């Protein structure tokens, strides 16, 4: 693991997720750019091998017979490229937090590096790991919804509704480290979810980014209309300044014959409504079920299980030597960065339609 | 009553609403442009006086000592102007279904006529009659939400998801009679609700109207971003082609300190969430409650009661000779038509921001 | 109307309900046992004929050519018998609030009187007027649920959670006027709803009645197990002292093949779940729909429409001269009083199973 | 681990739960009473040490320097006593699935054995591990609800609605292995949850157990009224034959000043309603929060996290050498078996009130 030292949020999540299905063991890390904190964090976690520098770690681990097979990168966005580069070039698989990089140029460079490496690159778009999201994706792909007309997606939080400081907030609102605000941090999730479930590519966007909290250097609210390749249309809203919303991510896909509605708050349910029929509440299991489940339906799963699913899939991928359908990777990361870049450009240009 | 003969939908709703609080009695009507159907409809309803022509009705009723005080206009949109004109000029109060007219030019003409009449003009934006919508409006006005940051509103149906014919559908999808599709029929409600609850005026829109059903002459889906006067931003979605949605109108108003969330499906509840506090579910009643109620909270009210409230308010207004706060009238109708016109224009011009 | 003068709750509800579908006109009343209040109430409502005494009213109205066809009795329970008797014996139809009387002996007497009268007796068990409750009843009767295994019903309020005084509370907590507390006021509704939807008769009860507020003379909480004729089993809870519950009445009917779940808080929906299939959310309309509707599904209806349905049915019944299926009457009232009596007896005898 | 070999359900859950917070490592097991299956299961899980007999395992592990600290018992109920006895007497801590034993006599014997052992005994009443259940317990204990009036609890499933066979079903419907049906399997959870949240002991029960599926040897539905020590009253329903219910466990605690409502289906929320105030939806976090959380509120947790919490608490307990408040143990197990026995006895005796 690189990053995720004391005080980090997503690092701990990655560790639980990796452990959940007993597919990975955490043995080495460069947990902080501060050598002392790195060592202290490693001691706390009982890591066998702690490194002060990720470049040293990549080289050293690649040389060991018992070196790590895969590394998790859980740092601010601007560090993703150099770190992923070091490990991919050392032949070590990379499991990287989103968005893929801080800028589109970095993403393009990383895509080239990944193409030349035998190692895999997995991007942890968590929501793609939810069983009911996978079932939604399967239902759309099966044609059960008819022609897709609209995709509406939103991701709404309130933790930045006021000026906030602290380890989690600081780098996210620093353009140099994050590359963007709400659009990068959670808009990237929403955009990916729209693509993931609908199976459609976003063709162009007309966006207005806003900064509601005075003095903030990045956007904290992103609203946009979407045009998908093939004719579907949609809307996307990502906000970090909306009181009363903890972490509300919701997607609705609407076809000519049926619609789907899923939100994380009731993540174990998927509303499926065929035209002229009563809406159904789908849960895990059932014939042809597109998701996965560790416990029978009725025993709720959550965020950690979704995250764990990506790790389980990554373990399968590493074993198979190839990325399976449904596991986000380098291509998704690149498209995600194009989406962010197009959104920012559209917003700067008076919300004009901008190709992705 | 003008319009609302056999086979009509909204006419029957107006009649129940007018009767609900025992403030109006239906005594005269020109219920259909077809004289035979008009008479048959009047007989069915036991009307004292049936007219074959609304112009004759306006003149005759104005001359009677026991003539009607107010008329309800419940015809297709393109008839609203001539009918309202006839009654307003006869000094008879008008209660008119929305949108106010079929075109902006008609709306401007009607506004002038109304300005010169002593009679009142009431526009039945039903959702403004819901107790919890009024409470929402009161809370925003009280400052409880802080500065308004965003307004998100949607009105989603599926009854036109396929090509549909019949009395209800035919005139709505005929541009000559309706003046617009989803944007006019339900987008007008959504736009009014946004203004009504937030207390803010819509400054400009960036819209994409779509027609998803082949061969349809009007839009059946409207998506747009909004900019409100004063800096708030928002999104609006109105659709008549989204399977799984019967009549879902929802508004969220988000301020710097708190947010509100109301949808018609759970119309007796209003979610109110202050930053850093658990969200509350408000119901009718309570100190300073901004709505009205006929029965104690816990006994659900619905659409007919909301509609009836507008009639009760209209009765109060007629008695007082002046429009009360909270009752939609000519100014709302004019702004609504400007909103529709701006939306259509923006959509034609590549979704460019267009002033309302 | 008898009762329902100034300060009354259910009288006003009856008046709106009677008016809703334009089937009744209120022309005469004995609105209060206090002659001055009766006259003042009548003036306020614009009644043509006000009486100080219901006995005088029954005789006088029966003699008039334009006398009332039906009377609504909306007084405390202990007055139901003498009043219904007076009107039934005068040949005037009776629409009576529940429970039918204050005691079982009164109910038995009233049943005999009704049997000897040509006039009809309607009991306003409001919840039987909800469209989705009727659909639930139809589904059970159709066999869609298989063999009925269990019926769970509850009716929970909090308005008596503290010692309360006032016109609404005073007579309800006076055993002489009400004949019982929570069990009579709302337990009677819950018991009827269980019978109404399931189509099963309650064979015996094992109950514990409680009085949680010090000094109260009647029960304010009723809990019981039920055994239905035919083998189904169930539970019933009625409480007026449970904070956080406004007026929560809910019924679940569980069969061998499917189950139903309805609650007043979401009265426009009915959950229907077949074994091994995703649960469905039914709304008004659809093939074979067992309810009624004034407006299309998606436009919520509520308590007043349910109440109005009983009045519309009563109007149909008067016209037809016979009680239709689905309209509660004298037999339901008698069974309801037997149920209350059995409950009270069981509770006194250590919750022993007591036949109804 | 003892039990939990191939084909088992709860064994896998225990393994994930134990691993979740990185507090336990699974190194040894007697995974099946069938030696071949035991070995195969151990191989599959990569266990260091596999035993064919739990008695051999207890002795051998106790003698090793690197022997296990704690054992998880995840077998049918009738094996809990001999197994727990073997390990407790060997000084190895026991984490045991519920109910504690198959009979009350066994439970009493186990309680004596535990009292004489230095090793701890933890009972995995999963629902006690949910953050919002702990918060509910804290709120009741804090006095925020006033005097507790009622406790209503239910646990409803449908997986045994038809005759079912298979590893999960077979032992549960065999009285010799399970000691009871729905009352033992899930009624025990419901009874514990009532005690856990309310802080009250169940004084007596009046119950009716039913067997709805023909030929089944145990009850599959349990309904009862409860009397708590101190005067509170309540109802409990546990069913395994109610179509449309996957795993619905819900508790409502109602006090004189406020009420709480929690159900597993929305496990991340707790409804808290003070009398005369709008109900609040509590989530994880907040001042004085009584639960625990691995990720910020808004990221849903579920069943595995709740289960994992018991393992984390057990690890803390082992470290401290004493059972912390909030972790179910031998006393809860004994009370649970007394509750089951009283329920069965009451049901046999015509639902008479039976002391627990």
């Amino acid at each position: 693991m690189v990053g995720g030292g004391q005080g980090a949020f997503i690092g701990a999540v990655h560790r639980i997720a990796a452990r959940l299905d007993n597919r990975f063991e955490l043995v080495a890390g460069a947990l902080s750019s501060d050598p002392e904190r790195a060592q202290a964090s490693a001691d706390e976690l009982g890591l066998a091998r702690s490194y002060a520098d990720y470049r040293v770690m990549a080289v050293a681990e690649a040389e060991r017979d018992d070196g790590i097979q895969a590394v998790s990168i859980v740092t601010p966005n601007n560090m993703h490229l150099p770190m992923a580069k070091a490990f991919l070039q050392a032949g070590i698989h990379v499991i990287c937090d989103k968005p893929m990089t801080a800028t589109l140029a970095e993403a393009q460079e990383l895509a080239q590096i990944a193409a030349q490496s035998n190692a895999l690159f997995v991007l942890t778009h968590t929501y793609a790991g939810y069983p009911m999201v996978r079932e939604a994706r399967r239902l759309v792909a099966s044609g059960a919804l008819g022609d897709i007309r609209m995709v509406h997606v939103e991701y709404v939080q309130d933790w930045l509704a006021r000026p906030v400081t602290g380890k989690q907030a600081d780098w996210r609102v620093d353009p140099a480290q994050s590359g963007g605000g709400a659009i990068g941090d959670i808009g990237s999730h929403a955009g990916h979810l729209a693509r993931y479930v609908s199976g459609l590519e976003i063709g162009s966007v007309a966006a207005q980014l806003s900064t509601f909290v005075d003095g903030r250097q990045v956007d904290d609210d992103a609203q946009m209309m979407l045009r998908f390749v093939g004719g579907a249309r949609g809307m996307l809203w990502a906000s970090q300044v909306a009181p009363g919303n903890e972490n509300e991510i919701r997607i609705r896909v609407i076809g000519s014959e049926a619609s789907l509605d899923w939100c994380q708050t009731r993540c174990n349910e998927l509303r499926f409504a065929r035209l002229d029929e009563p809406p159904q509440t789908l849960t895990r299991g059932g014939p042809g079920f597109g998701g996965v489940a560790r416990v029978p339906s009725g025993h709720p799963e959550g965020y950690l299980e979704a995250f764990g699913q990506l790790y389980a899939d990554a373990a399968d991928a590493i074993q198979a030597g190839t990325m399976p359908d449904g596991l986000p990777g380098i291509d998704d990361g690149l498209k995600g960065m194009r989406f962010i870049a197009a959104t920012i450009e559209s917003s700067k240009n008076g919300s004009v339609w901008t190709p992705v």
Side-chain angles (χ1 to χ4, degrees), chain A:
Chain A
M1 174 166 284
V2 185
Q6 292 166 333
F9 152 60
I10 204 70
V13 169
H14 277 260
R15 286 191 293 269
I16 295 176
R19 195 162 54 224
L20 192 72
D21 293 309
N22 211 15
R23 302 292 297 271
F24 290 98
E25 205 179 338
L26 184 63
V27 292
L31 301 183
S32 174
S33 52
D34 169 346
E36 277 185 40
R37 185 192 285 256
Q39 188 61 53
S41 300
D43 290 348
E44 203 175 288
L45 294 170
L47 276 205
R49 304 187 290 278
S50 173
Y51 298 88
D53 186 306
Y54 67 87
R55 283 157 298 210
V56 176
M57 175 178 168
V59 173
E61 291 291 324
E63 285 176 356
R64 293 177 69 102
D65 285 346
D66 64 349
I68 56 171
Q69 275 198 291
V71 69
S72 298
I73 299 177
V74 294
T75 60
N77 308 338
N78 63 330
M79 294 306 293
H80 291 182
L81 169 60
M83 289 172 168
K85 183 177 176 179
F87 286 93
L88 286 175
Q89 291 184 342
I92 294 172
H93 306 294
V94 169
I95 299 170
C96 183
D97 212 81
K98 44 48 60 185
M100 192 158 81
T101 52
T103 69
L104 175 55
E106 291 171 6
Q108 287 163 331
E109 185 182 342
L110 181 51
Q112 288 186 329
I113 292 162
Q116 291 157 8
S117 168
N118 287 327
L120 302 176
F121 181 91
V122 172
L123 193 67
T124 52
H125 275 303
T126 326
Y127 308 97
Y130 274 108
M132 300 319 296
V133 168
R134 298 221 166 161
E135 175 68 352
R137 175 180 161 95
R138 185 191 71 84
L139 280 166
V140 173
S142 77
L145 278 71
D147 297 328
I148 302 305
R149 291 177 169 174
M150 292 158 253
V151 180
H152 288 262
V153 60
E154 57 186 51
Y155 196 150
V156 195
Q157 302 178 328
D158 65 8
W159 71 294
L160 295 176
R162 294 202 180 111
V164 173
T165 56
K167 179 158 183 173
Q168 291 311 312
D170 289 350
W171 72 261
R172 281 184 172 83
V173 299
D174 172 5
Q177 290 186 76
S178 66
I183 184 62
D185 193 25
I186 57 175
S188 59
H189 273 311
H192 180 262
L193 188 62
R195 291 179 51 242
Y196 188 79
V197 175
S198 73
L200 301 174
E201 296 298 340
I202 301 172
S204 56
V205 300
Q208 60 174 344
L209 303 185
S210 310
T211 303
F212 283 106
V213 172
D214 286 344
R216 189 165 283 162
Q217 302 297 311
V218 294
D219 67 281
D220 51 25
D221 184 84
Q223 305 179 357
M224 72 197 72
M225 298 187 292
L226 307 172
R227 288 186 179 164
F228 292 85
V229 175
R233 294 179 165 195
M235 298 169 84
L236 185 152
W237 176 36
S239 187
Q240 298 183 307
V241 292
N245 295 280
E246 290 187 331
N247 210 37
E248 315 292 327
I249 175 164
R250 179 187 186 194
I251 184 166
R252 287 177 282 180
V253 180
I254 292 147
S256 54
E257 299 300 324
S259 70
L260 287 172
D261 189 349
W262 178 86
C263 67
Q264 189 181 224
T265 305
R266 306 201 71 167
C267 61
N268 291 283
E269 299 178 0
L270 175 64
R271 186 178 188 269
F272 176 54
R274 283 200 197 88
L275 194 56
D276 305 327
E277 294 185 20
Q280 298 181 329
T281 303
L282 309 182
T283 55
R284 297 197 305 274
F289 178 62
V292 292
R294 289 164 192 84
V295 281
S297 188
H299 301 73
E301 292 198 353
Y303 178 83
L304 291 171
E305 286 81 6
F307 219 118
Q309 189 55 42
L310 299 187
Y311 269 89
D313 291 344
D316 286 344
I318 289 169
Q319 217 160 354
T322 181
M323 294 284 285
D325 175 64
L327 182 62
I330 197 86
D331 186 52
D332 297 288
L334 185 55
K335 285 174 178 161
M337 293 309 299
R338 282 198 191 118
F339 165 72
I340 293 171
T343 298
I344 293 170
E345 191 186 332
S346 170
S347 183
K348 279 189 187 149
N349 295 323
S351 308
V352 70
W353 284 105
T354 304
V356 171

